[in-house]
Amino acid sequence: MPSRTEPSLRIAVLADSDTRWKWGALTAHRLAPGARLDGRLLRGRATPTARQLTEVGVAAAEIGEVTGTEFVRSAGRDRYDVVVLACVGGAVQAMLHGLAAAWEGDPEPRRPVVVTGYVGVVYEKLTDGLLLRHGADLVLANSPHDADRFREVYEGVGADADCVTEWALPFLGDRAGRADRADRHDAATRDQVRPFTVVFAAQPSVPESRADRVYLLRRAVAHARAHPAREVLIKLRSKPGEHTTHIEELPYQKLALRLPGGLPPNCRLVYGHMGDVLDRTDLLVTVSSTAALESLHRGIPTAVLTDLGIREALGNHHFLGSGCLASWDRLDAGHLPEADPEWAARQGVPSDGYESGSGPGYGSGPGYGSGPGSGSGPASGSGPGPSSGSGEAVFAAARQRVADLAARPVLPPLAPYYTAATAPGYLPAVLARHGLDHRGRPLPGRAGAPREESALRRAGRAALRDAARGAYRHGVQRVAPLIRRAGEL
């Protein structure tokens, strides 16, 4: 086994959706630049498609689907130095218990360093989610504000809070990626006049109701019609038939088909990497998407909508004090929100070099129009932009902590807060959903090593899984809304 002091570590990332794969893979690169990265996709309803993986744009030495029991059997210290669990809380808890049981009594005293955290803004189920993640060596907190909240929860139940490690969203501060995208964007628009671009960052499950989602879509379309010199992009997370972290029962693609008059010429649905979309954005509008933080990091005016109220269920309460709360009426009238810099710093939005009036989205230089609604005015560089900040310092501190733990000859056993003694009526069901018993051992029939299969059998099993996922998505997006509406009659 290679020495733990070698600069190149071996990292496994277990992810259960496209968004969590993006977070986990980028986190691995931030924690150990140059490390070998193996991707393991937890088999389930939100397992990302090949298109979604390509869109994320993070390369891995190996990538493939696994079950929970297959992962705990294969993620030993002989293969990996670090394991990143980029999953929903219940899956993280199950893997912590499964890995602890798999490594128990092993004659080799070393084990991988285990890391977990959150993909973005944490605005609901804070205590439940945190306790399900307790037991990892590092629980990454995406801001100073989150780090304080995480420690308060752990200390409040008497659990060890030393695992809480301040972090930042790993896709913030990506100067190299931003520069590459900006170069490509400049080359594509060098001889064009780019209109002022408004991006509505849609979310799969916020808001939930058809009426609310139709309302937001209609307001975005009305903004486009009221400002024909602007381009309005409705940024969608997934294409029909795909799932992300959250279930989308009412896709905007289908709602748009039923809009009277359809979409105007200056309004369209777009997909793709959020970074690519933000490269041409002058105003970002959302309810509570994590895209708001990425937009703020770039110095782009960002509006968090209040039209449906400021409510915990929507997540926009997280932006209280940000200076970003606004309604479509105000945006229609020309308002461009300016973020409060102190709030942004507390929320872990590092300022890694975006200066006022420079970089994508500020309307300066070739390719940017002038005149009403076309990139002049406050969005063109007159507002305050982030200067130098602490993003890289935060990454460096966590990177050093992982390196120190990986270099130790022995690490203590994983010790989650939830055990058969602390949560006997809760934990067994969490573990059973991932094929584990109350001790973290595989349930009967789930422990066997994978059998050798012919190519035809593997193809048949893959087709069957795809069909099952398709049936599930059809039920979520077609049948469930019909049943819900019938129940309201």
Side-chain angles (χ1 to χ4, degrees):
M1 175 179 174
S3 167
R4 295 301 185 96
T5 60
E6 291 180 3
S8 182
L9 300 177
R10 302 161 302 165
I11 302 182
V13 173
L14 178 69
D16 57 6
S17 71
D18 62 328
T19 308
R20 294 196 178 100
W21 164 246
K22 175 182 177 180
W23 178 85
L26 292 176
T27 290
H29 283 304
R30 290 286 191 183
L31 288 173
R36 174 192 167 90
L37 172 62
D38 287 353
R40 297 292 178 256
L41 306 177
L42 190 61
R43 192 169 294 150
R45 65 160 184 83
T47 306
T49 64
R51 187 203 68 81
Q52 288 174 305
L53 292 174
T54 301
E55 183 177 290
V56 170
V58 180
E62 292 181 9
I63 192 164
E65 289 188 24
V66 294
T67 64
T69 53
E70 289 170 348
F71 181 75
V72 299
R73 185 174 57 242
S74 64
R77 57 187 61 81
D78 58 327
R79 296 188 64 182
Y80 301 114
D81 304 290
V82 180
V83 169
V84 177
L85 300 177
C87 303
V88 70
V92 171
Q93 182 71 186
M95 295 305 99
L96 290 171
H97 281 272
L99 291 171
W103 297 338
E104 185 180 9
D106 196 305
E108 168 59 62
R110 288 178 175 174
R111 64 166 176 80
V113 179
V114 180
V115 180
T116 191
Y118 285 89
V119 170
V121 174
V122 185
Y123 65 83
E124 63 178 352
K125 300 179 182 178
L126 175 65
T127 300
D128 187 28
L130 276 175
L131 293 180
L132 288 171
R133 288 168 172 81
H134 187 268
D137 297 299
L138 274 74
V139 176
L140 300 177
N142 294 326
S143 69
H145 174 66
D146 279 352
D148 291 343
R149 293 195 298 162
F150 291 9
R151 293 188 184 99
E152 182 179 352
V153 169
Y154 287 157
E155 291 168 355
V157 299
D160 183 9
D162 289 343
C163 59
V164 177
T165 304
E166 190 175 329
W167 186 243
L169 291 170
F171 44 82
L172 301 184
D174 182 11
R175 296 176 182 173
R178 290 200 306 254
D180 177 66
R181 289 193 296 268
D183 288 345
R184 286 187 278 111
H185 178 268
D186 288 346
T189 61
R190 189 170 292 120
D191 298 323
Q192 303 175 18
V193 175
R194 182 175 76 78
F196 185 96
T197 301
V198 179
V199 173
F200 172 57
Q203 296 165 260
S205 60
V206 177
E208 287 187 332
S209 76
R210 173 183 292 271
D212 287 346
R213 294 173 79 81
V214 169
Y215 169 84
L216 293 178
L217 180 60
R218 284 178 172 170
R219 290 305 303 258
V221 170
H223 186 85
R225 290 190 172 122
H227 299 83
R230 293 186 173 189
E231 183 175 40
V232 176
L233 305 179
I234 300 170
K235 169 65 173 70
L236 303 177
R237 285 278 305 280
S238 60
K239 292 188 175 182
E242 296 175 338
H243 265 325
T244 60
T245 300
H246 302 285
I247 297 174
E248 186 168 24
E249 291 188 7
L250 299 165
Y252 281 99
Q253 298 96 321
K254 295 181 179 179
L255 299 178
L257 293 175
R258 300 184 179 184
L259 278 180
L263 300 179
N266 63 327
C267 179
R268 55 195 175 93
L269 309 179
V270 298
Y271 304 91
H273 193 287
M274 179 57 75
D276 291 335
V277 176
L278 288 177
D279 285 340
R280 49 182 167 150
T281 299
D282 299 290
L283 172 63
L284 189 283
V285 183
T286 188
V287 176
S288 59
S289 171
T290 299
L293 300 182
E294 192 170 355
S295 173
L296 289 172
H297 171 55
R298 292 165 173 255
I300 299 170
T302 301
V304 174
L305 292 173
T306 63
D307 292 55
L308 304 176
I310 301 172
R311 298 182 281 143
E312 283 81 357
L314 297 176
N316 54 358
H317 71 292
H318 180 83
F319 294 86
L320 289 170
S322 67
C324 298
L325 296 170
S327 67
W328 269 118
D329 281 356
R330 296 186 68 197
L331 300 178
D332 289 345
H335 176 61
L336 293 172
E338 294 186 10
D340 180 86
E342 292 185 6
W343 181 92
R346 281 288 296 160
Q347 298 302 321
V349 181
S351 47
D352 286 339
Y354 265 90
E355 300 293 345
S356 174
S358 65
Y362 276 93
S364 60
Y368 292 83
S370 59
S374 60
S376 60
S380 306
S382 61
S387 57
S388 60
S390 58
E392 286 303 324
V394 169
F395 293 138
R399 187 180 304 135
Q400 187 60 52
R401 184 169 185 183
V402 166
D404 291 344
L405 289 172
R408 293 183 185 179
V410 179
L411 289 174
L414 297 176
Y417 171 76
Y418 282 142
T419 65
T422 60
Y426 180 47
L427 180 62
V430 172
L431 300 182
R433 283 197 291 271
H434 296 277
L436 303 173
D437 66 16
H438 68 283
R439 299 171 300 169
R441 307 280 184 188
L443 289 167
R446 307 288 286 271
R451 294 175 297 176
E452 290 294 329
E453 293 182 326
S454 66
L456 180 61
R457 183 177 177 85
R458 284 196 301 272
R461 288 169 63 87
L464 183 61
R465 283 198 298 268
D466 289 343
R469 286 175 186 152
Y472 177 86
R473 289 161 183 160
H474 178 81
V476 167
Q477 296 180 347
R478 297 286 183 89
V479 181
L482 290 175
I483 294 174
R484 187 174 294 108
R485 286 201 296 275
E488 294 171 353
L489 295 178

